[in-house]
């Protein structure tokens, strides 16, 4: 009798043990699924991420609707796109730097960037987000009034929406263009698009075709300060990245950011400009870029 009693107690013990294990696994699974759901609902914009093509390469091969003189690693597939801005990466007699800032305008960083550019007497191109132009219209107008130009970097930087077919992509690009023109006028806008994450993946070819149909060219970069590789990249690290990525380059399309987390980009900018000037670069906006 006692033996059967203990056996029954043992069975109950095992049942409770496995029930608790099951409950624990259920709770863990629920938490994991909940986290994944929350992440999926958060907009994909993260100014510290440029996309898989960027992260997998030390310096991506620049691509654009303007196809430059083929650099090392030239991909045949990009030759299908018409050459406008054909000389953007080509050799000039004068070394030229195009400073480009992505993801603004932002209330805390863009004014500081503009202050530095004004002090140095340098013009730049700002690849703006439509949502940020709407939030900071006076900054957008100040940018143009000080001799810079705005270009299109999408409305919200939402990877999932932009790269899931072309319908929403076209609507997004057109919406951003209208916001910019309504804010600063057509003279302050250059019809150039920079893909969030760059245009390097073949999967973005449908979006490239759609841009061509809208009269756009698209442009990546062939030099950078590395401020997208994380938050608070030290200014000295950014300067070294500029030195290495512009080495041997005559026409430098330089990727930087004026997003809200890029204070160290502001801190690095004076030394970056001084270095480029010491190397003989002159500065232009994409409105001054050569076209076919």
């Amino acid at each position: 009798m006692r033996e059967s009693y203990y056996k029954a107690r043992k069975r109950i013990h095992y049942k409770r043990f496995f029930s608790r294990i099951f409950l624990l696994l259920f709770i863990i699974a629920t938490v994991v699924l909940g986290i994944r759901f929350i992440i999926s609902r958060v907009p994909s914009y993260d100014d510290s991420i440029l996309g898989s093509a960027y992260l997998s390469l030390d310096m991506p091969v620049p691509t654009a609707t303007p196809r430059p003189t083929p650099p090392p690693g030239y991909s045949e597939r990009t030759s299908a796109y018409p050459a406008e801005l054909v000389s953007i990466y080509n050799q000039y007699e004068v070394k030229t730097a195009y400073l480009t800032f992505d993801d603004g305008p932002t209330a805390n960083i863009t004014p500081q960037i503009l202050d530095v550019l004004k002090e140095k007497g340098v013009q730049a191109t700002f690849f703006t987000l439509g949502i940020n132009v709407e939030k900071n219209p006076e900054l957008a107008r100040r940018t143009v009034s000080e001799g810079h130009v705005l270009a299109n970097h999408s409305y919200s930087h939402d990877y999932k929406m932009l790269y899931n077919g072309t319908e929403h992509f076209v609507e997004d690009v057109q919406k951003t263009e209208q916001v910019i023109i309504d804010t600063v006028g057509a003279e302050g806008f250059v019809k150039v698009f920079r893909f969030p994450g760059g245009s390097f993946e073949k999967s973005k070819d449908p979006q490239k075709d759609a841009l061509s149909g809208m009269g756009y060219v698209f442009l990546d970069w062939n030099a950078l300060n590395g401020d997208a590789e994380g938050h608070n990249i030290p200014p000295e690290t950014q300067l070294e990245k500029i030195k290495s990525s512009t080495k041997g380059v005559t026409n430098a399309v330089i990727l930087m950011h004026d997003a809200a987390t890029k204070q160290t980009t502001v801190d690095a900018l004076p030394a970056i400009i001084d270095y480029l000037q010491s190397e003989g670069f002159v500065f232009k906006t994409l409105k001054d870029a050569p076209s076919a």
Side-chain angles (χ1 to χ4, degrees):
M1 188 75 177
R2 180 172 291 184
E3 185 178 346
S4 62
Y5 170 77
Y6 282 118
K7 284 183 178 179
R9 289 289 300 271
K10 195 173 185 179
R11 282 195 297 269
I12 292 171
H13 176 75
Y14 279 128
K15 284 181 180 179
R16 287 178 178 172
F17 174 76
F18 286 115
S19 295
R20 289 170 180 170
I21 291 294
F22 175 80
L23 179 61
L24 179 60
L25 291 174
F26 176 78
I27 292 172
I28 291 172
T30 301
V31 170
V32 170
L33 290 173
I35 291 172
R36 290 183 66 180
F37 175 77
I38 292 170
I39 291 173
S40 71
R41 303 296 295 174
V42 174
S44 64
Y45 167 55
D46 180 345
D47 68 302
S48 70
I49 298 173
L50 281 177
S52 59
Y54 174 83
L55 294 174
S56 64
L57 297 171
D58 182 54
M59 184 66 239
V61 174
T63 62
T65 306
R67 187 61 223 170
T69 299
Y74 169 62
S75 173
E76 193 63 33
R77 67 177 173 80
T78 58
S79 65
Y81 298 99
E84 301 180 27
L85 290 181
V86 68
S87 298
I88 191 71
Y89 301 120
N90 289 353
Q91 296 294 309
Y92 284 153
E93 291 182 8
V94 177
K95 295 172 75 174
T96 304
Y98 299 92
L99 299 180
T100 67
F101 296 90
D102 288 10
D103 299 345
T106 57
N108 61 329
I109 298 300
T110 305
Q112 297 182 75
I113 296 284
L114 292 174
D115 288 345
V116 173
L117 295 174
K118 186 174 183 179
E119 179 184 345
K120 297 292 186 180
V122 169
Q123 271 68 55
T125 301
F126 289 78
F127 281 94
T128 55
L129 298 178
I131 190 171
N132 282 344
V133 173
E134 286 182 337
K135 289 178 179 177
N136 302 290
E138 289 304 321
L139 269 178
R141 284 189 278 269
R142 177 190 166 185
T143 301
V144 171
S145 72
E146 294 183 2
H148 313 291
V149 296
L150 306 187
N152 196 325
H153 193 44
S154 81
Y155 184 80
S156 63
H157 213 281
D158 189 332
Y159 282 51
K160 290 183 179 179
M161 183 275 293
L162 288 169
Y163 304 137
N164 183 22
T166 59
E167 180 180 353
H168 292 304
F169 176 82
V170 169
E171 292 174 356
D172 186 281
V173 172
Q174 291 175 334
K175 180 179 181 179
T176 304
E177 177 179 338
Q178 195 61 54
V179 167
I180 294 173
I181 290 175
D182 287 348
T183 304
V184 304
E187 288 303 307
F189 173 65
V190 59
K191 203 162 184 174
V192 181
F193 184 80
R194 174 168 286 162
F195 282 86
S199 71
F200 311 106
E201 298 92 340
K202 184 172 177 60
S203 61
K204 295 174 183 174
D205 284 359
Q207 286 80 13
K208 296 171 192 175
D209 290 333
L211 283 173
S212 182
M214 289 186 281
Y216 269 87
V217 296
F218 62 90
L219 184 67
D220 291 316
W221 57 88
N222 63 347
L224 73 171
N225 67 342
D227 66 353
E229 296 172 9
H231 295 305
N232 301 313
I233 301 298
E236 57 272 19
T237 302
Q238 294 187 41
L239 179 59
E240 289 306 310
K241 194 75 170 183
I242 288 288
K243 290 179 179 180
S244 63
S245 64
T246 58
K247 187 176 182 179
V249 173
T250 303
N251 288 358
V253 180
I254 300 172
L255 173 70
M256 295 183 283
H257 294 78
D258 61 331
T261 59
K262 301 304 176 186
Q263 181 59 49
T264 56
T265 297
V266 176
D267 301 336
L269 187 57
I272 287 172
I273 292 173
D274 289 345
Y275 170 76
L276 292 170
Q277 288 177 328
S278 73
E279 291 295 305
F281 283 95
V282 297
F283 297 90
K284 294 184 179 183
T285 73
L286 290 181
K287 206 152 200 175
D288 303 317
S291 60

